[in-house]
Amino acid sequence: MLHVLLKQLSPLSSVVVAAATTNNPDRSTSVIGRPGLLQTTDHMKVFPAGVLCMTDVARSQPLTVVSSAAKPSQTINVDYRQKTGEKKLRGTVVLMKKNVLELNDLKASVLDRFDELRGKRVLLQLISSVNCDPENGSQGKVGRPAYLEDWITKITPLTAEETAFDVTFDWDEEIGVPGAFIIRNEHHNEFYLKSLTLEDVPGEGRVHFVCNSWVYPAEKYRKDRVFFANKTYLSSDTPVPLQKFREEELKNLRGDDDDEKRELQEWDRVYGYAYYDDLGKPYMGKEYARPTLGGSSDFPYPRRVKIGRQTTENASPMMLPVNIFVYVPRDERFGHLKTSDAIAYALKLVSQLVKPDELATLVASQNEFGSLKDVLKLYEGGIRLPEGLQKSVRDNIPLETIKELFRPDGENFLKYPVPQVIKKDKSAWRTDEEFAREMLAGLNPVTIRRLKEFPPASKLDRKAYGDQTSLITKENIAHNLKGLSIDQAIDENRLFILDHHDSIMPYLRRINTTSTKAYASRTLLFLQDDGTLKPLAIELSLPHPNGDQFGCTGKVYTPSSQGVESSIWQLAKAYVAVNDTGYHQLISHWLRTHAVMEPFIIATNRQLSVLHPIYKLLHPHFRDNMNVNALARQVLINASGILETTVFPAKFSMEWSSAMYKNWVFPEQALPADLIKRGMAVEDSSSSHGVRLLIEDYPYAADGLEIWSAIKTWVKDYCSFYYKADETVQKDSELLSWWKELHEEGHGDKKDEPWWPKMQTREELIESCTIIIWIASAYHAAINFGQYPYGGYPPNRPSTSRRFMPEEGTPEHEELKTNPEKAFLKTFTPELQTLLGMGTIEILSRHTVDEVYLGHRDAAEWTTDADILQASKNFRKKLEEIEECIKRKNKDKRLKNRSGPAKMPYTLLYPSSDPGLTGKGIPNSVSI
């Protein structure tokens, strides 16, 4: 195509068209002409000569033009001589227009078409990967502008979907093989650029550019947007013409001093570091103030992305409780399907719970469940909400969203799906065997450890906390060890402990000043001959009433199936479940996946080019994590947020997670290292994974090791292709900058820890990348997607306790004798908190329709390296084999821990899943 810039009117009869440079176009007067025809307009500069003189916009070289005399608003014939070697290069751009939920923004479409009529279009220019521009030093030669074709005539679909546009470039030998392209969006509105594909490129054939990025109007950017072909280069191997573009793109993503001072906008693409200084709501009162996490030895924490606004200390109240469009770099935001799902689930939750006066009808005049039958009504019958509220939702929410709010079978809002843990047997959750099995194959199977000394010791500072040694004695457990002594049981690896004592005790005195009434706990278990665990004793402890330095007080409970002692034992197990649920939500889940991953995402975008092999390896495992975390800071982990409301540490929840971060060690996040540290496995070179499980039927660990090994094999194949020797690692400047910034800035409160890998060898690189992928994918899946299947029945996984164990002679103890179910529910299952918790974990346990699972990518042509594509295919095949192996194990009746009394097969590490509430599937990333 021929592209020119037209100037002011003169009353004369012939015209000269002035040229514009590609670097500084006058956007307000740009007009497009086609070869052969040029429409004169009131913006042309006309001269008395009889020749129309034009200049090649891209090269500032004159073209020979012959024309007849012309008047304004007439058409003149234009002919020009093409430069030798020039040809037309055709391409296809795939994009998605601006949308709202599932629907295209029709107003935006109209404005964009108006822009097209005014000559404001979408401009693209190819960048050579082989030749530099003499006027710009080593920067690649930039081709002539080309424009998306038929934007006006292309039919815009009602629903948000991809649209393909043709584009035709003028190509010559000086451009050679394009390695990148510039795009300028002159429209009013942004669009999501999926890809550009060039066909029949001389010397190369097909060239594909994976973009997957929102492109805003050019006026929003300080620099033009640049996208690279799907080649992969170490920084030192980058073609010289592309090197400056590569460096400039990273500089843009890091931002500058101005970005540090201003509030970032939705179109900004700045990845910076910040502390967790936005959790409190001090404007609501002193009780809503929360400490800043990160940047101090008192409250260390991983960094979050910088949003460039004032901290909550100076903030003013928001009108809405949740702003789903909180700033994160635009390409970290949810896709349109994920956004609509998130809004739908959030609306469902709010609709269920924001009006306590309406919810009071659930249990007459009391805010309590009267019996377990009342809890079951949530699944079996449902509670009808007022028709007016239902009509309001129907009238104001798009159709696709309603499909999720109102279930296909016509269920009302307050009818929840039946959790798997009670689907086959409604009482199995109460058994000791199921209680113990879930420590190996449940919601939090990452905390149990082998007991190595008796009585269990404490690592708390004696000066501060006194003697915290366990109160469990030989007499409590000896009769249940199948004739073994305690020393024999320890030596034979038969004793295990779920220890929530040291982690909770330092905070327990403060926690119990809230509505929570909790204990620190230790639970001892015995490994039986059939591979199942038998609970032996539970120790519940409180801080000493005279002060922390005097140690603790407590009591030991042992299994019982008779009378009130049986009810007390059920309460003891529930207090343990409260601790384990809180630890799961705040530590195993939030801290060790969501929070610790965000610095990896920030550092990767700041220091690794999209052309870098490690960027391409890790990028799929960052999808949606940052957006999820931003939303969590507004509704889940903030002051008076859902977690503070529903888990036992209450207002001290995030402080507690900060204390637990002090114990976080990156290399120990590797599954084999974690199992060895907890004493659940020992090194064994003869075993397929290099470790041998001491509980063979440990579903999380057994399945996890298969997934871990598959990930590591894939990472090893990948890294070995690009890094042929340790020296390549040592000379990779981008890689070393990434790793340095990661632990000095992203995890800055741990920058001096000696355990950080030095990143000097291929093995260090492979192990580190395997850990990152494991945390984001399989580990997160194992502890996230079982939340509703196990915890959707609150008596099985209560998250808070409101009163202490009943003492003999009290009304509470008498109630325990006469109505144990009601006493249990009054202690652990307050109705409104329960419903809030259930609604939340149902959201968190769902897969969205656009989920991308481990081994898969959202772009098929993400690399041109055939060996890597084959290795990726091998990885997917291995995951399919693992899934079939897990299915076979779940049918093996000898492996009792795989289903247990609840008859609930362990499926959380199935690699694949359908959308929805499935209890299986491993997404690539921490995407919910």
Side-chain angles (χ1 to χ4, degrees):
M1 298 180 70
L2 183 64
H3 309 291
V4 298
L5 187 67
L6 305 178
K7 295 293 184 181
Q8 67 189 41
L9 173 68
S10 173
L12 304 177
S13 60
S14 295
V15 298
V16 169
V17 180
T21 66
T22 58
N23 291 331
N24 188 27
D26 181 351
R27 302 187 195 119
S28 64
T29 57
S30 60
V31 179
I32 309 304
R34 291 180 298 167
L37 294 174
L38 181 66
Q39 179 73 39
T40 63
T41 74
D42 290 345
H43 299 289
M44 286 187 173
K45 187 174 183 181
V46 185
F47 294 89
V51 176
L52 172 64
C53 298
M54 307 183 74
T55 302
D56 183 328
V57 176
R59 297 177 178 80
S60 299
Q61 295 176 345
L63 298 171
T64 300
V65 179
V66 179
S67 79
S68 60
K71 296 179 180 180
S73 301
Q74 288 185 334
T75 299
I76 58 175
N77 292 321
V78 179
D79 186 20
Y80 63 95
R81 188 171 60 243
Q82 248 187 359
K83 187 176 178 179
T84 304
E86 288 183 346
K87 64 170 289 186
K88 300 299 180 184
L89 195 63
R90 301 196 180 278
T92 302
V93 170
V94 178
L95 58 80
M96 186 168 64
K97 296 183 179 181
K98 180 182 178 183
N99 56 75
V100 179
L101 297 184
E102 297 95 339
L103 305 178
N104 267 319
D105 187 332
L106 297 182
K107 179 181 177 181
S109 295
V110 170
L111 286 173
D112 291 342
R113 290 181 178 185
F114 181 69
D115 287 334
E116 288 277 324
L117 289 172
R118 295 195 303 140
K120 293 179 176 294
R121 306 182 67 184
V122 178
L123 173 152
L124 298 89
Q125 292 176 276
L126 299 179
I127 301 172
S128 175
S129 65
V130 292
N131 292 314
C132 295
D133 186 340
E135 297 181 6
N136 289 295
S138 59
Q139 182 171 297
K141 186 79 173 178
V142 178
R144 301 180 190 177
Y147 297 82
L148 294 190
E149 300 167 12
D150 302 322
W151 187 287
I152 296 175
T153 58
K154 184 81 68 172
I155 296 175
T156 301
L158 179 62
T159 57
E161 58 186 53
E162 296 170 2
T163 305
F165 292 88
D166 293 331
V167 60
T168 304
F169 295 92
D170 290 326
W171 179 92
D172 61 41
E173 294 174 355
E174 292 184 12
I175 291 294
V177 178
F181 73 92
I182 294 168
I183 188 166
R184 290 180 60 84
N185 174 14
E186 299 289 351
H187 291 171
H188 272 80
N189 299 289
E190 71 272 21
F191 54 79
Y192 184 76
L193 182 62
K194 185 84 172 175
S195 64
L196 165 64
T197 305
L198 303 176
E199 304 289 351
D200 302 322
V201 177
E204 185 73 12
R206 192 170 189 270
V207 177
H208 186 68
F209 301 78
V210 177
C211 305
N212 289 335
S213 180
W214 285 94
V215 178
Y216 276 75
E219 64 190 24
K220 303 295 186 184
Y221 298 125
R222 286 173 286 188
K223 299 284 186 178
D224 286 333
R225 295 295 308 276
V226 175
F227 293 93
F228 298 91
N230 61 341
K231 300 281 188 178
T232 306
Y233 302 106
L234 296 176
S235 50
S236 59
D237 297 333
T238 309
V240 172
L242 300 180
Q243 188 68 51
K244 283 190 176 180
F245 289 102
R246 177 174 182 154
E247 294 170 357
E248 189 67 31
E249 176 68 0
L250 284 175
K251 183 179 178 182
N252 291 339
L253 294 172
R254 286 193 287 267
D256 56 25
D257 292 341
D258 290 339
D259 296 320
E260 292 290 323
K261 303 171 185 176
R262 66 184 179 90
E263 182 172 354
L264 298 175
Q265 304 299 319
E266 64 175 85
W267 52 81
D268 283 311
R269 303 171 58 241
V270 176
Y271 291 79
Y273 297 100
Y275 304 135
Y276 279 70
D277 57 6
D278 57 349
L279 300 179
K281 300 177 182 178
Y283 50 81
M284 294 177 61
K286 185 178 180 180
E287 65 272 26
Y288 293 98
R290 298 292 181 269
T292 293
L293 304 184
S296 71
S297 58
D298 291 334
F299 301 111
Y301 221 63
R303 303 300 187 257
R304 63 167 176 86
V305 71
K306 184 179 182 60
I307 62 177
R309 66 159 174 77
Q310 59 187 346
T311 67
T312 56
E313 291 183 4
N314 301 312
S316 58
M318 293 174 135
M319 292 299 294
L320 294 174
V322 182
N323 175 14
I324 198 167
F325 301 109
V326 62
Y327 174 79
V328 293
R330 185 61 177 92
D331 291 339
E332 303 296 338
R333 288 253 297 273
F334 295 149
H336 74 286
L337 294 175
K338 185 62 157 283
T339 301
S340 63
D341 282 352
I343 292 176
Y345 300 147
L347 285 173
K348 173 185 173 184
L349 184 61
V350 171
S351 297
Q352 287 173 342
L353 301 171
V354 294
K355 297 185 178 179
D357 55 324
E358 294 175 350
L359 294 175
T361 60
L362 284 169
V363 187
S365 61
Q366 295 187 28
N367 187 31
E368 304 288 351
F369 291 108
S371 68
L372 293 176
K373 288 183 179 179
D374 288 335
V375 180
L376 292 174
K377 286 180 183 178
L378 293 172
Y379 322 107
E380 296 172 352
I383 303 297
R384 181 173 297 278
L385 290 184
E387 177 59 31
L389 179 59
Q390 294 188 38
K391 183 178 185 301
S392 175
V393 173
R394 289 192 187 98
D395 291 345
N396 293 287
I397 301 177
L399 177 61
E400 290 301 311
T401 308
I402 289 177
K403 288 180 181 178
E404 191 53 50
L405 286 165
F406 293 93
R407 303 182 191 281
D409 59 358
E411 297 173 10
N412 295 321
F413 276 91
L414 286 180
K415 184 177 178 183
Y416 290 87
V418 180
Q420 287 175 267
V421 75
I422 59 168
K423 195 168 271 188
K424 297 291 183 63
D425 188 327
K426 291 183 173 59
S427 61
W429 65 275
R430 305 183 70 158
T431 65
D432 288 357
E433 183 179 342
E434 180 64 23
F435 170 71
R437 184 190 79 91
E438 291 184 19
M439 300 178 196
L440 302 173
L443 183 55
N444 190 37
V446 297
T447 305
I448 187 173
R449 61 180 174 85
R450 180 164 53 91
L451 188 66
K452 298 179 181 179
E453 60 181 343
F454 187 86
S458 170
K459 294 182 180 179
L460 293 176
D461 182 0
R462 272 183 170 266
K463 291 182 179 179
Y465 297 103
D467 184 3
Q468 296 282 339
T469 303
S470 175
L471 303 175
I472 300 174
T473 65
K474 175 182 177 181
E475 289 71 26
N476 294 136
I477 66 172
H479 60 286
N480 276 324
L481 299 181
K482 300 292 185 181
L484 298 176
S485 69
I486 292 177
D487 288 341
Q488 287 175 320
I490 290 175
D491 292 341
E492 294 181 17
N493 303 320
R494 302 286 289 272
L495 286 179
F496 295 83
I497 184 171
L498 184 68
D499 194 341
H500 290 303
H501 183 93
D502 282 8
S503 61
I504 294 174
M505 184 58 74
Y507 274 84
L508 191 54
R509 192 182 299 276
R510 281 178 287 170
I511 288 171
N512 284 341
T513 63
T514 69
S515 60
T516 297
K517 298 297 177 279
Y519 296 94
S521 64
R522 293 183 175 109
T523 305
L524 262 57
L525 308 106
F526 179 70
L527 179 62
Q528 302 186 106
D529 295 337
D530 64 357
T532 62
L533 291 172
K534 176 182 176 62
L536 298 175
I538 293 173
E539 173 191 351
L540 301 179
S541 301
L542 292 170
H544 198 283
N546 295 331
D548 290 347
Q549 69 275 22
F550 294 101
C552 63
T553 62
K555 189 174 180 179
V556 176
Y557 301 89
T558 55
S560 176
S561 59
Q562 301 296 322
V564 71
E565 295 302 320
S566 173
S567 299
I568 288 175
W569 174 244
Q570 289 295 333
L571 291 180
K573 290 192 294 182
Y575 283 113
V576 172
V578 166
N579 289 346
D580 200 53
T581 299
Y583 191 93
H584 161 265
Q585 285 288 16
L586 293 166
I587 313 305
S588 301
H589 184 195
W590 166 259
L591 173 64
R592 293 180 181 169
T593 61
H594 289 264
V596 302
M597 281 299 297
E598 190 157 352
F600 288 92
I601 302 170
I602 300 170
T604 300
N605 281 280
R606 286 169 57 89
Q607 298 296 341
L608 295 181
S609 165
V610 295
L611 293 167
H612 197 283
I614 300 304
Y615 177 96
K616 292 191 175 186
L617 173 67
L618 297 180
H619 185 256
H621 305 287
F622 299 153
R623 183 175 187 256
D624 292 341
N625 190 337
M626 193 176 286
N627 203 162
V628 169
N629 287 7
L631 291 174
R633 293 196 303 274
Q634 291 196 7
V635 71
L636 285 174
I637 64 173
N638 59 317
S640 72
I642 291 175
L643 286 185
E644 285 197 3
T645 304
T646 60
V647 298
F648 79 90
K651 64 183 291 185
F652 302 103
S653 292
M654 292 304 288
E655 279 190 51
W656 186 46
S657 73
S658 170
M660 294 301 99
Y661 177 61
K662 295 176 182 179
N663 301 324
W664 183 80
V665 176
F666 176 72
E668 291 177 357
Q669 307 312 300
L671 179 58
D674 170 63
L675 293 170
I676 291 170
K677 178 186 177 183
R678 291 190 285 119
M680 303 301 290
V682 293
E683 292 187 32
D684 186 347
S685 59
S686 65
S687 297
S688 56
H689 308 296
V691 296
R692 176 171 54 84
L693 294 175
L694 297 181
I695 300 179
E696 182 180 351
D697 186 14
Y698 184 178
Y700 160 75
D703 297 352
L705 285 170
E706 295 287 346
I707 301 293
W708 167 269
S709 294
I711 294 172
K712 188 163 187 177
T713 298
W714 153 241
V715 173
K716 183 176 181 180
D717 291 344
Y718 185 94
C719 291
S720 298
F721 180 82
Y722 297 105
Y723 296 88
K724 304 300 184 184
D726 292 345
E727 184 180 11
T728 315
V729 176
Q730 297 161 11
K731 291 183 177 180
D732 187 342
S733 58
E734 279 187 13
L735 183 75
L736 298 179
S737 296
W738 168 66
W739 195 248
K740 182 175 187 292
E741 180 174 289
L742 174 66
H743 67 261
E744 290 187 357
E745 297 287 340
H747 284 278
D749 296 329
K750 288 184 168 288
K751 63 182 179 181
D752 297 323
E753 297 287 357
W755 41 254
W756 284 106
K758 305 303 181 185
M759 203 53 71
Q760 293 294 299
T761 67
R762 285 199 306 176
E763 182 53 39
E764 286 179 320
L765 176 60
I766 291 167
E767 182 75 1
S768 297
C769 289
T770 303
I771 292 173
I772 294 168
I773 295 172
W774 164 258
I775 293 172
S777 59
Y779 176 81
H780 179 259
I783 60 168
N784 182 77
F785 293 103
Q787 290 188 78
Y788 193 82
Y790 289 98
Y793 184 63
N796 183 54
R797 295 290 298 186
S799 59
T800 190
S801 48
R802 296 178 296 160
R803 60 186 191 182
F804 293 122
M805 183 73 79
E807 295 289 341
E808 194 168 354
T810 63
E812 290 80 10
H813 193 272
E814 191 62 29
E815 183 181 44
L816 193 61
K817 289 181 181 179
T818 58
N819 194 341
E821 279 190 8
K822 188 169 185 179
F824 182 96
L825 293 170
K826 287 173 73 172
T827 303
F828 298 107
T829 318
E831 183 190 298
L832 290 179
Q833 286 172 281
T834 295
L835 295 175
L836 181 61
M838 288 173 63
T840 302
I841 63 174
E842 185 190 349
I843 295 169
L844 298 179
S845 300
R846 286 181 172 271
H847 293 292
T848 55
V849 295
D850 61 345
E851 195 70 87
V852 183
Y853 294 93
L854 187 62
H856 297 267
R857 298 213 170 209
D858 57 6
E861 299 180 69
W862 61 278
T863 182
T864 57
D865 296 320
D867 289 351
I868 295 302
L869 291 173
Q870 183 60 49
S872 179
K873 183 178 179 181
N874 295 343
F875 181 37
R876 288 194 298 275
K877 183 178 179 181
K878 181 62 177 177
L879 292 173
E880 291 170 2
E881 294 171 356
I882 291 171
E883 184 163 325
E884 292 303 313
C885 179
I886 295 173
K887 290 178 181 178
R888 290 193 297 271
K889 287 190 289 186
N890 281 343
K891 295 177 181 178
D892 190 338
K893 297 186 183 302
R894 296 171 298 174
L895 301 176
K896 297 182 180 298
N897 293 325
R898 299 207 71 91
S899 292
K903 301 179 180 62
M904 181 182 178
Y906 187 73
T907 60
L908 290 174
L909 287 175
Y910 278 27
S912 67
S913 175
D914 295 324
L917 193 62
T918 65
K920 60 183 179 181
I922 304 176
N924 271 327
S925 60
V926 182
S927 58
I928 189 66

